[in-house]
Coordinates of all heavy atoms in Angstrom, one line a residue:
L81 N 45.8 -104.9 68.8 CA 47.2 -105.1 68.8 C 48.0 -103.9 69.2 O 49.1 -104.0 69.7 CB 47.7 -105.7 67.5 CG 47.0 -107.0 67.1 CD1 47.5 -107.4 65.7 CD2 47.4 -108.1 68.1
E82 N 47.5 -102.7 68.8 CA 48.3 -101.5 69.0 C 47.8 -100.6 70.1 O 48.5 -99.7 70.5 CB 48.2 -100.6 67.7 CG 48.7 -101.3 66.4 CD 50.1 -101.7 66.5 OE1 50.9 -101.0 67.2 OE2 50.5 -102.6 65.8
G83 N 46.7 -101.0 70.7 CA 46.2 -100.2 71.9 C 47.1 -100.2 73.1 O 47.8 -101.2 73.3
R84 N 47.1 -99.2 73.9 CA 47.9 -99.1 75.1 C 47.1 -98.6 76.3 O 46.1 -97.9 76.1 CB 49.0 -98.0 74.9 CG 50.0 -98.4 73.7 CD 51.0 -97.3 73.5 NE 50.4 -96.0 73.1 CZ 50.5 -94.9 73.7 NH1 51.1 -94.9 74.9 NH2 49.9 -93.8 73.3
C85 N 47.5 -99.0 77.4 CA 46.8 -98.6 78.6 C 47.5 -97.4 79.2 O 48.7 -97.6 79.6 CB 46.8 -99.8 79.6 SG 45.7 -99.5 81.0
V86 N 46.8 -96.3 79.3 CA 47.4 -95.1 79.8 C 46.5 -94.5 80.8 O 45.4 -94.1 80.5 CB 47.7 -94.1 78.7 CG1 48.3 -92.8 79.2 CG2 48.6 -94.6 77.6
D87 N 47.0 -94.5 82.1 CA 46.2 -93.9 83.2 C 44.8 -94.4 83.3 O 43.8 -93.7 83.5 CB 46.1 -92.3 83.0 CG 47.5 -91.7 83.1 OD1 48.4 -92.2 83.8 OD2 47.7 -90.6 82.5
G88 N 44.7 -95.7 83.1 CA 43.4 -96.4 83.3 C 42.5 -96.3 82.1 O 41.3 -96.7 82.2
H89 N 43.0 -95.8 80.9 CA 42.2 -95.7 79.7 C 42.9 -96.5 78.6 O 44.1 -96.4 78.4 CB 42.0 -94.3 79.3 CG 41.2 -93.5 80.4 ND1 39.9 -93.7 80.6 CD2 41.6 -92.5 81.2 CE1 39.4 -92.9 81.5 NE2 40.5 -92.2 82.0
H90 N 42.1 -97.2 77.8 CA 42.7 -97.9 76.7 C 42.7 -96.9 75.5 O 41.6 -96.4 75.0 CB 41.8 -99.1 76.3 CG 42.4 -100.0 75.3 ND1 42.1 -99.9 74.0 CD2 43.4 -101.0 75.4 CE1 42.8 -100.8 73.3 NE2 43.6 -101.5 74.1
V91 N 43.9 -96.6 75.0 CA 44.0 -95.6 73.9 C 44.7 -96.3 72.7 O 45.5 -97.2 72.9 CB 44.8 -94.4 74.3 CG1 44.0 -93.6 75.4 CG2 46.2 -94.7 74.7
A92 N 44.4 -95.8 71.5 CA 45.0 -96.4 70.3 C 45.0 -95.3 69.2 O 44.3 -95.4 68.1 CB 44.2 -97.6 69.8
E93 N 45.7 -94.2 69.4 CA 45.7 -93.1 68.5 C 46.3 -93.5 67.1 O 46.0 -92.8 66.1 CB 46.5 -91.9 69.0 CG 48.0 -92.2 69.2 CD 48.3 -92.7 70.6 OE1 47.4 -93.3 71.2 OE2 49.5 -92.6 71.0
V94 N 47.1 -94.6 67.0 CA 47.6 -95.0 65.7 C 46.6 -95.5 64.8 O 46.8 -95.8 63.7 CB 48.8 -96.0 65.9 CG1 49.9 -95.4 66.7 CG2 48.3 -97.3 66.6
C95 N 45.4 -95.8 65.4 CA 44.3 -96.4 64.6 C 43.3 -95.3 64.0 O 42.2 -95.7 63.6 CB 43.6 -97.4 65.4 SG 44.6 -98.7 66.1
D96 N 43.7 -94.0 64.1 CA 42.7 -93.0 63.6 C 42.4 -93.2 62.1 O 41.2 -93.1 61.7 CB 43.4 -91.6 63.8 CG 43.3 -91.2 65.2 OD1 42.6 -91.8 66.0 OD2 44.1 -90.2 65.6
G97 N 43.4 -93.6 61.3 CA 43.1 -93.8 59.9 C 42.2 -94.9 59.6 O 41.2 -94.8 58.8
A98 N 42.4 -96.0 60.4 CA 41.5 -97.2 60.2 C 40.1 -96.9 60.7 O 39.1 -97.3 60.1 CB 42.1 -98.4 61.0
E99 N 40.0 -96.1 61.8 CA 38.7 -95.7 62.2 C 37.9 -94.9 61.2 O 36.7 -95.1 61.0 CB 38.8 -94.9 63.5 CG 37.4 -94.5 64.1 CD 37.6 -93.5 65.2 OE1 38.6 -92.8 65.3 OE2 36.6 -93.3 66.0
A100 N 38.6 -93.9 60.6 CA 38.0 -93.1 59.6 C 37.5 -93.9 58.4 O 36.4 -93.6 57.9 CB 39.0 -92.0 59.1
A101 N 38.3 -94.9 58.0 CA 37.9 -95.7 56.9 C 36.7 -96.5 57.2 O 35.8 -96.7 56.4 CB 39.1 -96.6 56.5
L102 N 36.6 -97.0 58.4 CA 35.5 -97.8 58.9 C 34.2 -97.0 59.0 O 33.1 -97.3 58.5 CB 35.8 -98.5 60.2 CG 34.6 -99.4 60.8 CD1 34.2 -100.4 59.8 CD2 35.0 -100.0 62.1
L103 N 34.4 -95.8 59.6 CA 33.2 -94.9 59.7 C 32.7 -94.5 58.3 O 31.5 -94.4 58.1 CB 33.6 -93.6 60.5 CG 33.8 -93.8 62.0 CD1 34.5 -92.5 62.6 CD2 32.5 -94.0 62.7
G104 N 33.6 -94.2 57.4 CA 33.1 -93.8 56.1 C 32.4 -94.9 55.3 O 31.5 -94.7 54.6
C105 N 32.9 -96.1 55.6 CA 32.3 -97.3 54.9 C 30.9 -97.6 55.5 O 30.0 -97.8 54.8 CB 33.2 -98.5 55.1 SG 32.6 -100.0 54.3
L106 N 30.8 -97.5 56.8 CA 29.5 -97.8 57.5 C 28.5 -96.7 57.2 O 27.3 -97.0 57.0 CB 29.7 -97.9 59.0 CG 30.5 -99.1 59.5 CD1 30.8 -99.0 61.0 CD2 29.8 -100.4 59.2
D107 N 28.9 -95.5 57.0 CA 28.0 -94.4 56.8 C 28.5 -93.5 55.7 O 29.2 -92.5 56.0 CB 27.7 -93.6 58.0 CG 26.6 -92.6 57.9 OD1 26.0 -92.5 56.8 OD2 26.3 -91.8 58.8

Side-chain angles (χ1 to χ4, degrees):
L81 299 176
E82 304 295 336
R84 298 176 297 119
C85 189
V86 179
D87 295 332
H89 297 289
H90 188 263
V91 297
E93 65 270 22
V94 297
C95 302
D96 284 344
E99 180 194 20
L102 178 57
L103 286 169
C105 181
L106 290 173
D107 187 4

